[in-house]
Amino acid sequence: MTGCGANRAGTSGGTLNRQVQAGDCLRETPEEREPYEGVVCTTPGAAWRVLKVGGSGTCYDVPGVERAESRIDGIGQMCLSSGPGEPRPGVNTAQQGDCLTSRDAGDVRAVPCTDPGAVDRVLARVESGSYLNDDCAEVPGTRSTYEWRLTSINSRLSDLERSLVFCLAPKDEDPNSSVDAARVGDCVAQQGEDYTRVACDTPNARYRVLKRYDSTVVDIQIACRYVQGTTSGIKRSFGGLFAGYTLCLGPR
């Protein structure tokens, strides 16, 4: 594929007689080399709107973008949204501190955290995340992740199939309360199997962190064996071979 189809001839009533630019619409064709043709947006089958053409960078931050394709001249990209109308609000523009709507409600959108539909807060945004790694492993407070894919039918742009990963926590939860952020001297509360980082002068503070190892290479019993005062421990793996941490805990 070399990009959008040729748009220079006006032989069809619905075909543009100039090269595609932002605001134009496209419809798909059966041609492998030129799978799109530019059409006026009222043409039957107009399935994509061009949001941006060319320029440097990527389509990651273009509001409403759903697909990226190479340009007809082979330089840069076309950023597309589905349908001939205005692009739908998306999630790709969300930054750290923004909120997202529920994944159970259909299309996930970026919204202000004061919006009634806001559910999760973005703790971190990872561009070009890799399926080989846990992209949110070392982001304290992460409870869940959301992956947004910028697709392409151009095999040469297949690396766009995984574009953004958002590290999330419930919007009203303080990520600093995560035990992931605990360091030596901090205190930890326990409720069932859940641990939280708390101020040491709070009534529910049960343990104090005596030692932290940023590794899970050995079991808690071995890691904390010679840490004086240890009565318990926490071990969390991040998915890698040794990625994670071990906390040696003693009474507050």
Side-chain angles (χ1 to χ4, degrees):
M1 169 184 166
T2 58
C4 65
N7 305 299
R8 296 175 287 277
T11 56
S12 166
T15 301
L16 297 174
N17 59 3
R18 55 176 168 75
Q19 191 158 321
V20 165
Q21 58 187 283
D24 290 342
C25 289
L26 306 177
R27 66 181 174 189
E28 297 184 24
T29 76
E31 298 295 327
E32 182 177 351
R33 290 181 57 84
E34 296 181 349
Y36 298 101
E37 64 175 345
V39 295
V40 295
C41 294
T42 55
T43 303
W48 300 95
R49 176 181 285 269
V50 180
L51 304 180
K52 178 183 176 183
V53 178
S56 60
T58 68
C59 295
Y60 288 166
D61 295 324
V62 176
V65 68
E66 297 173 61
R67 179 178 286 190
E69 303 290 5
S70 57
R71 288 171 54 185
I72 189 170
D73 57 14
I75 303 174
Q77 295 179 358
M78 295 188 302
C79 308
L80 310 177
S81 66
S82 61
E86 292 300 314
R88 296 171 296 177
V91 68
N92 62 300
T93 56
Q95 302 292 331
Q96 182 178 355
D98 292 338
C99 285
L100 306 184
T101 57
S102 172
R103 282 164 284 183
D104 297 329
D107 291 338
V108 179
R109 295 179 293 110
V111 294
C113 291
T114 54
D115 189 288
V119 174
D120 292 312
R121 186 183 301 273
V122 178
L123 303 182
R125 167 191 171 109
V126 182
E127 295 194 4
S128 299
S130 169
Y131 66 89
L132 297 176
N133 300 311
D134 182 346
D135 297 303
C136 298
E138 298 186 17
V139 179
T142 298
R143 291 294 196 94
S144 62
T145 61
Y146 181 75
E147 180 183 344
W148 176 82
R149 295 174 181 267
L150 180 60
T151 63
S152 171
I153 61 173
N154 184 345
S155 60
R156 290 181 296 178
L157 297 179
S158 60
D159 59 320
L160 294 173
E161 287 295 327
R162 181 175 170 92
S163 299
L164 298 175
V165 175
F166 297 96
C167 311
L168 307 174
K171 70 168 186 174
D172 296 323
E173 185 173 286
D174 180 4
N176 291 319
S177 68
S178 170
V179 72
D180 297 348
R183 294 292 184 265
V184 173
D186 290 344
C187 288
V188 175
Q190 181 180 8
Q191 184 174 5
E193 296 184 356
D194 292 331
Y195 295 87
T196 54
R197 178 175 177 245
V198 296
C200 290
D201 59 356
T202 57
N204 62 336
R206 182 174 179 182
Y207 301 106
R208 188 181 297 272
V209 179
L210 304 178
K211 189 75 175 180
R212 177 184 175 110
Y213 297 96
D214 287 306
S215 172
T216 59
V217 65
V218 296
D219 291 336
I220 293 174
Q221 292 80 359
I222 297 175
C224 301
R225 178 183 297 175
Y226 299 111
V227 180
Q228 187 174 1
T230 297
T231 59
S232 183
I234 300 172
K235 179 179 177 180
R236 182 186 174 198
S237 297
F238 291 148
L241 185 58
F242 302 125
Y245 62 83
T246 302
L247 302 179
C248 303
L249 307 177
R252 181 192 63 171

